[in-house]
Amino acid sequence: MTAISLDPVDWRLLEALQRNGRASYAELARTVSMSPSAVTERVRRLEEAGVITGYAAVIDHERIGLPVLALVRLRYPTGNYRPFHELLATTPEVLEAHHVTGDDCFVLKVAARSMRHLEEVTGRISGLGPVTTSVVYSSPLERRPLVL
């Protein structure tokens, strides 16, 4: 995979879209002082190049009844990842999974209804190997847009 070369206008568009994925082409055009048609073409090019991979709503987990957020580290003892991928496919509480270096093999971001629910989820995960769980007190920086 090769990196695409981005100019300052591309970066300003990407920053604006990361902050508000629902921004209209007219709004984006005002942000970068270009015509809406030129901005439309640039955004299309960024999408086709795979720089922009999608648009999504950011959800407040507490407001939908999942107030407990945890990072679960899994030390996976085997190279057969099929059971791990099956667990991910059947455990919607796992929001993110990252294969990492170090003593642990995976770091998972988990949302749960309660501490008891978190215990149930981590119990399922621990069926694959030893886990270490860190409950998130707060998130001073939840998401940061990539900027130039």
Side-chain angles (χ1 to χ4, degrees):
M1 181 173 288
T2 57
I4 184 172
S5 179
L6 302 175
D7 67 19
V9 173
D10 291 330
W11 277 107
R12 290 198 329 260
L13 285 171
L14 290 172
E15 184 176 355
L17 284 169
Q18 288 175 90
R19 293 188 190 286
N20 179 8
R22 294 181 62 160
S24 69
Y25 290 121
E27 290 174 82
L28 294 171
R30 283 190 294 276
T31 299
V32 296
S33 301
M34 294 177 73
S35 71
S37 61
V39 166
T40 302
E41 179 58 31
R42 277 187 179 251
V43 171
R44 186 193 57 72
R45 182 179 54 81
L46 292 167
E47 291 170 343
E48 288 177 355
V51 174
I52 297 173
T53 59
Y55 300 87
V58 178
I59 297 171
D60 183 328
H61 298 138
E62 285 189 46
R63 297 233 180 213
I64 62 167
L66 297 168
V68 179
L69 188 62
L71 300 175
V72 179
R73 295 179 305 283
L74 170 63
R75 190 170 295 161
Y76 197 73
T78 173
N80 176 11
Y81 294 127
R82 180 180 302 257
F84 176 71
H85 290 287
E86 288 172 357
L87 176 87
L88 293 179
T90 59
T91 311
E93 296 90 347
V94 176
L95 306 177
E96 297 178 18
H98 304 277
H99 195 192
V100 298
T101 62
D103 291 334
D104 299 313
C105 297
F106 294 98
V107 176
L108 311 175
K109 183 177 176 182
V110 176
R113 293 184 305 275
S114 63
M115 291 303 290
R116 182 174 302 228
H117 182 214
L118 178 61
E119 184 178 17
E120 292 168 9
V121 174
T122 56
R124 280 185 266 147
I125 296 167
S126 70
L128 299 176
V131 299
T132 305
T133 304
S134 299
V135 174
V136 175
Y137 285 143
S138 66
S139 299
L141 179 63
E142 276 193 285
R143 291 182 341 116
R144 172 180 281 160
L146 290 171
V147 295
L148 177 64

